[in-house]
Amino acid sequence: MSAYWIAHVDVSDAETYARYAELATQAIGEHGGRFLARAGRYEVMEGATRARNVIAEFPTMQDALDCYHSQTYAKALEFAKKSAERDLMILEGV
């Protein structure tokens, strides 16, 4: 069953965040993930939001969790923590 990373992000340092995005993209690919939405247009219908929204799909929940806990993603997180406020969840599909 597929699983999804759903992220909502406010970037404060675009240059540093670009390094995060590069490494995160690598980590996601290494774990069979692919982007379904990435910083496209959106409209908030209810609740709070952030400026950037991302959805990545993984083959399984375990793949999504393994990606998050991988060495490659750990390196990416070092850049994200310096350059953005983020909310990230992993959601199993139906």
Side-chain angles (χ1 to χ4, degrees):
M1 186 173 304
S2 295
Y4 304 89
W5 279 19
I6 302 172
H8 307 289
V9 184
D10 284 329
V11 177
S12 57
D13 178 347
E15 186 175 319
T16 302
Y17 194 78
R19 185 68 179 126
Y20 159 78
E22 179 183 324
L23 287 168
T25 297
Q26 179 184 340
I28 288 166
E30 288 171 355
H31 291 87
R34 68 184 181 106
F35 290 101
L36 299 180
R38 194 173 192 183
R41 273 184 38 189
Y42 66 93
E43 291 188 34
V44 176
M45 306 315 261
E46 297 181 28
T49 189
R50 294 190 182 268
R52 182 179 176 91
N53 301 283
V54 180
I55 302 172
E57 179 183 41
F58 291 84
T60 68
M61 185 72 163
Q62 192 60 56
D63 291 321
L65 292 167
D66 289 348
C67 181
Y68 187 83
H69 295 293
S70 70
Q71 288 184 346
T72 303
Y73 195 70
K75 290 177 189 174
L77 276 176
E78 293 176 22
F79 293 99
K81 289 176 182 178
K82 297 176 189 175
S83 62
E85 291 291 324
R86 306 167 355 112
D87 299 309
L88 174 71
M89 67 179 304
I90 300 175
L91 175 67
E92 189 170 48
V94 295

